[in-house]
Amino acid sequence: MPSHRWIVSELPAVPPQSAQSAATEIVAGCHRRLRGPYTGVDTVLRAVLPEAVRRWPDLVDFHRVELLYGMPDLADLIGPAPQTLAIESTFEERTRFFGAGMIRCMSQGVVSFLIAHAARLRTAGEPAPHLVLHQVDRAEPTTQEVIALLLRRADPAQLRLTVRTGTGDLPEELHRALERCAERACEVDESSAEPLVRTDEELVRAYVRGDCVSDDPAELRAYREAPPELRAHLHDRRAEELEAAELHPGVRVGALTHHREHGSDPSGAGRTALLAAQRHCVEVGFSAAVIDLGLRGRAVTAPDVHPHDFWEFTHQAAAACIPLGRHEQSMDLYLDVIQRFTDPKVHMMTSYSIAMLHTRFLRPRDHDLALRWQNNAVAIASILPDPADRLTYSVFHDNGLALVEMHRGNLGRALELVESCIARLDAQLTDAQWRLHRSQLLYNRARLLTATDRLDEAYADYSTLVELDPYYTDYLSERARIHRTRGDFDAALADYDRAVDLAPPFPELYYNRGTARVEAGDTKGALADFGYVLEMEPDDLDTRLARAELLLDLEEFEAADADVTAGLTLRPLDPRLLCMRGTVALQCGELDRAREALDAALALDPEYPAALLNRAVVHHEQGRHPDAVTDLTTLLDLIGDDPDVLLNRGIAHQADGRPDLALADYRRALALPGADRTELEALSAECAATG
């Protein structure tokens, strides 16, 4: 049976810089220094897309967004990407930026495309390509993430990978995928060819001309020992060659920045190249690359000579730390620029950023401290000397203040701020100005209207946004939520279906559609959606629980228990999973196993309602009626009067020989809406007869 392979080697590698195809083998170099994020992934796609466009244009079109999002140069093969307000906005007017989470969704879509393409080849009786990926340990984190996903998701019988790395450390996800999904092999040097004799200068020139990705020991030694002025000269020449060619963004992010950074003018040409590359990565959402470029940019920028550039390198790197969970590093960078500079705009924007850290990301959240920082940003914006700056920045920071107030529970104040922002921009700007930020204000108003139960107005705002920016599918998901609140599942599913057609594969989108399909009675569709989420993100416990619950309802007990077991391997102390294990065991009549799991769930969360209810059933079934009463009493104290819980407690009282208490519960339940009157009246009559 074929399997993925992992070759660990200390031998020097000089991989190809573009895809090479021999029969069905595609060989690609992945070193980050070539084209930054997606290096190697782009070369694989360039090898397979021409055939895919010719034979299966529907498949390419379905994945168009994610194929082009981080690799826009592929448009020469498959046509342009759909446009959004964010993409169309200038860098100065961009107020919506994405990060590592968005890139992961795009990467999942790329992986889905490659797997589906391989499956179509196999269906046509043709072999799928074998991907041979070099220098994966030197790849940029985005490429490493794609490779990890491919290893885990791709069946090697249909799409096989050979991954070549050195002996150093790898990112956790990639290392885990290689350990679990690939056969490991060590490479042995069996070459008998005499090495090419080259002078030290020839070695240095070859190393630089190859964009410094070779790990040939002779080239590395010669480069390190070469005179600094020769190295700088060679880097300058290579940078000029690259700039003279038609460069796609990846080369500007990878090779060009490296050569300019190590050329004769790192603080001039190097700083300029790094700043342009960082801005590109900010616009796309390559968080890891933004941090890398920002820290490198700070290193070549004198803050007293180029303060704005130093601030931009720092500010963007700090913001990119957040989606990667590096919150302390983010705060350190923000505090660094506040300490260095007295420029009001620097303090204004940094105060906003620190406020967002406190109100959105740091644990525990501190909304009051966020308010202090955001008030500072608002105050500075209100006294900026330029009227245009004063308007746009005041609106931006009042919108930030509204978010803080929303988190503090002041929904009315938050809505008042957002509506004031909208009115001020509408009064002073043309329709074409700041379109993206105005759409965000409308989005924030819609969310606040939803939170205050003004659903008709929220629905109207979401509908406006859907027409304004159809490929930003959060609006469709939010409108679907309103449909579900109203009980209109057909309309909700129509919005979810449209979002799925337009968007990359967001796990949350498929999860939400799956839960809506459950409510609409489409169990097959729900299982398909939940299955796709778990194929992409097997650690998603909410989806695993949702699927286990659906399988339980379908009386597919083994499958439900398998989902619970898979979840418990990741979180053995999760009370929800333990409760579900107990519930499955209860449905299977395994009462001792059910009680053990429910006891464990309640030991972790003594007030978990579902566990209390199900353990009460186990107690009752095993004749421990007083224990059942105790659990149901605790449950009623938590949730208030509930006719079904009162019915069950009455049954437990009755079984325990307490018809008076049972009758009291039955009568109390009969006074509540939704009560099962027929059963309650019959049981009440039994109690009255025995009493």
Side-chain angles (χ1 to χ4, degrees):
M1 176 178 290
S3 66
H4 302 307
R5 294 184 71 217
W6 175 20
I7 297 175
V8 182
S9 177
E10 294 182 349
L11 300 177
V14 187
Q17 295 187 19
S18 60
Q20 293 182 351
S21 180
T24 59
E25 187 173 276
I26 298 173
V27 184
C30 298
H31 200 301
R32 70 180 71 193
R33 203 168 284 159
L34 295 172
R35 293 177 302 284
Y38 285 136
T39 300
V41 179
D42 54 359
T43 53
V44 169
L45 289 172
R46 281 202 166 272
V48 304
L49 277 172
E51 177 188 47
V53 170
R54 177 175 57 84
R55 297 177 66 181
W56 301 296
D58 61 309
L59 178 64
V60 174
D61 199 53
F62 184 74
H63 292 284
R64 178 175 302 277
V65 170
E66 51 265 39
L67 289 170
L68 293 170
Y69 183 77
M71 296 166 280
D73 53 295
L74 295 177
D76 65 351
L77 296 178
I78 67 174
Q83 294 299 295
T84 65
L85 286 183
I87 291 173
E88 292 172 347
S89 297
T90 64
F91 190 80
E92 291 71 23
E93 290 194 4
R94 278 290 292 267
T95 52
R96 177 190 297 145
F97 294 99
F98 306 112
M102 170 68 87
I103 294 301
R104 187 173 179 90
C105 289
M106 297 295 177
S107 296
Q108 291 280 18
V110 170
V111 170
S112 293
F113 165 76
L114 288 171
I115 291 172
H117 175 256
R120 293 200 183 191
L121 285 171
R122 298 289 288 190
T123 300
E126 302 170 35
H130 170 204
L131 309 184
V132 182
L133 308 174
H134 286 268
Q135 290 186 300
V136 171
D137 53 320
R138 313 285 184 84
E140 200 274 339
T142 304
T143 297
Q144 292 176 329
E145 181 177 74
V146 173
I147 295 170
L149 295 172
L150 266 171
L151 286 164
R152 176 168 56 76
R153 292 182 54 193
D155 179 354
Q158 292 202 343
L159 178 62
R160 189 159 67 99
L161 278 70
T162 293
V163 175
R164 191 179 191 278
T165 72
T167 56
D169 293 337
L170 296 170
E172 181 183 353
E173 183 180 25
L174 176 59
H175 186 266
R176 187 169 63 247
L178 286 165
E179 288 280 1
R180 293 179 180 178
C181 306
E183 290 183 358
R184 181 167 176 163
C186 292
E187 191 170 44
V188 178
D189 187 3
E190 298 179 346
S191 172
S192 60
E194 289 292 325
L196 179 66
V197 177
R198 294 177 288 175
T199 66
D200 279 359
E201 183 171 331
E202 288 173 329
L203 290 167
V204 175
R205 290 179 182 277
Y207 182 72
V208 175
R209 177 140 186 100
D211 295 325
C212 307
V213 303
S214 169
D215 52 12
D216 183 314
E219 292 185 5
L220 290 167
R221 176 199 56 76
Y223 178 81
R224 285 194 298 266
E225 295 175 0
E229 60 273 14
L230 174 61
R231 293 200 304 260
H233 170 69
L234 293 174
H235 281 298
D236 286 346
R237 282 186 55 188
R238 179 60 177 156
E240 289 163 5
E241 290 174 1
L242 292 172
E243 288 179 326
E246 279 198 31
L247 290 184
H248 63 71
V251 175
R252 295 189 181 278
V253 171
L256 183 63
T257 58
H258 179 77
H259 291 300
R260 286 303 186 195
E261 192 178 6
H262 292 84
S264 60
D265 186 19
S267 62
R271 171 180 51 81
T272 300
L274 287 164
L275 192 61
Q278 189 191 43
R279 286 180 176 176
H280 167 74
C281 290
V282 166
E283 289 181 325
V284 178
F286 291 132
S287 299
V290 170
I291 298 169
D292 174 62
L293 293 162
L295 297 181
R296 288 160 58 192
R298 279 169 53 99
V300 299
T301 304
D304 54 335
V305 179
H306 298 286
H308 181 272
D309 290 355
F310 189 91
W311 172 79
E312 188 170 334
F313 280 127
T314 305
H315 174 76
Q316 301 296 2
C321 287
I322 295 172
L324 295 175
R326 294 157 63 171
H327 299 148
E328 289 186 11
Q329 183 181 9
S330 176
M331 181 66 82
D332 288 345
L333 288 167
Y334 285 136
L335 294 177
D336 176 76
V337 291
I338 278 186
Q339 182 172 315
R340 287 178 185 272
F341 301 121
T342 59
D343 182 276
K345 283 188 177 179
V346 169
H347 279 255
M348 173 185 68
M349 294 305 297
T350 308
S351 293
Y352 163 81
S353 298
I354 292 174
M356 294 303 105
L357 270 175
H358 283 298
T359 199
R360 295 181 62 192
F361 302 108
L362 294 177
R363 295 291 184 272
R365 295 186 183 185
D366 190 335
H367 305 307
D368 290 341
L369 184 54
L371 181 63
R372 295 171 209 162
W373 281 103
Q374 189 57 25
N375 278 341
N376 189 54
V378 170
I380 296 172
S382 70
I383 58 173
L384 292 175
D386 180 79
D389 278 356
R390 193 162 60 247
L391 171 65
T392 55
Y393 281 116
S394 289
V395 165
F396 180 86
H397 291 298
D398 278 353
N399 184 45
L401 184 60
L403 177 65
V404 176
E405 292 289 13
M406 182 180 73
H407 289 164
R408 296 176 76 231
N410 299 328
L411 300 183
R413 172 60 177 154
L415 183 57
E416 176 185 308
L417 283 164
V418 170
E419 289 187 322
S420 170
C421 291
I422 293 171
R424 283 144 58 198
L425 291 185
D426 285 351
Q428 299 186 53
L429 298 181
T430 67
D431 290 345
Q433 292 178 292
W434 291 90
R435 295 176 67 221
L436 176 63
H437 188 52
R438 291 160 85 171
S439 74
Q440 288 185 264
L441 289 168
L442 193 59
Y443 187 19
N444 291 343
R445 184 174 75 179
R447 288 190 288 183
L448 286 164
L449 289 168
T450 301
T452 52
D453 291 325
R454 294 164 62 178
L455 298 185
D456 289 344
E457 295 165 88
Y459 182 87
D461 279 351
Y462 285 131
S463 296
T464 298
L465 288 164
V466 166
E467 297 306 314
L468 184 66
D469 199 4
Y471 281 91
Y472 188 65
T473 55
D474 283 13
Y475 306 142
L476 286 163
S477 293
E478 294 292 345
R479 191 169 71 177
R481 193 189 306 271
I482 293 177
H483 287 309
R484 294 176 70 171
T485 301
R486 293 169 167 171
D488 189 346
F489 294 108
D490 288 341
L493 287 170
D495 275 348
Y496 284 136
D497 290 345
R498 182 177 172 188
V500 164
D501 286 341
L502 297 177
F506 292 110
E508 184 180 5
L509 173 57
Y510 281 87
Y511 170 79
N512 287 336
R513 188 174 71 170
T515 57
R517 283 175 157 175
V518 171
E519 292 173 302
D522 178 11
T523 56
K524 183 178 179 181
L527 288 172
D529 280 344
F530 295 153
Y532 187 36
V533 173
L534 293 171
E535 178 192 336
M536 291 189 289
E537 303 294 352
D539 297 356
D540 187 327
L541 291 189
D542 286 339
T543 303
R544 199 165 287 284
L545 279 164
R547 188 170 73 174
E549 185 173 355
L550 179 55
L551 290 167
L552 182 63
D553 290 341
L554 296 172
E555 298 186 354
E556 296 186 22
F557 301 125
E558 287 188 17
D561 196 54
D563 264 342
V564 174
T565 299
L568 285 169
T569 60
L570 300 170
R571 295 190 194 172
L573 299 179
D574 189 297
R576 299 173 302 164
L577 289 165
L578 289 164
C579 178
M580 182 59 71
R581 166 161 282 179
T583 306
V584 173
L586 175 60
Q587 292 295 314
C588 293
E590 300 173 8
L591 299 181
D592 289 338
R593 183 167 175 258
R595 182 183 175 190
E596 179 183 357
L598 294 165
D599 283 346
L602 288 165
L604 294 165
D605 184 356
E607 297 185 344
Y608 191 25
L612 286 165
L613 178 62
N614 286 318
R615 190 172 70 174
V617 175
V618 173
H619 285 319
H620 179 73
E621 291 292 325
Q622 293 188 323
R624 291 184 300 275
H625 307 302
D627 292 337
V629 168
T630 299
D631 277 349
L632 293 169
T633 300
T634 302
L635 179 57
L636 286 165
D637 290 341
L638 288 172
I639 67 172
D641 278 358
D642 178 278
D644 293 329
V645 178
L646 285 166
L647 169 62
N648 283 319
R649 190 173 70 172
I651 291 171
H653 278 310
Q654 195 170 350
D656 195 36
R658 302 296 304 271
D660 53 332
L661 296 178
L663 185 58
D665 275 349
Y666 297 150
R667 287 174 175 170
R668 192 166 148 193
L670 281 165
L672 298 173
D676 185 344
R677 302 192 64 83
T678 301
E679 185 172 6
L680 284 165
E681 287 171 354
L683 291 169
S684 297
E686 285 182 17
C687 289
T690 58

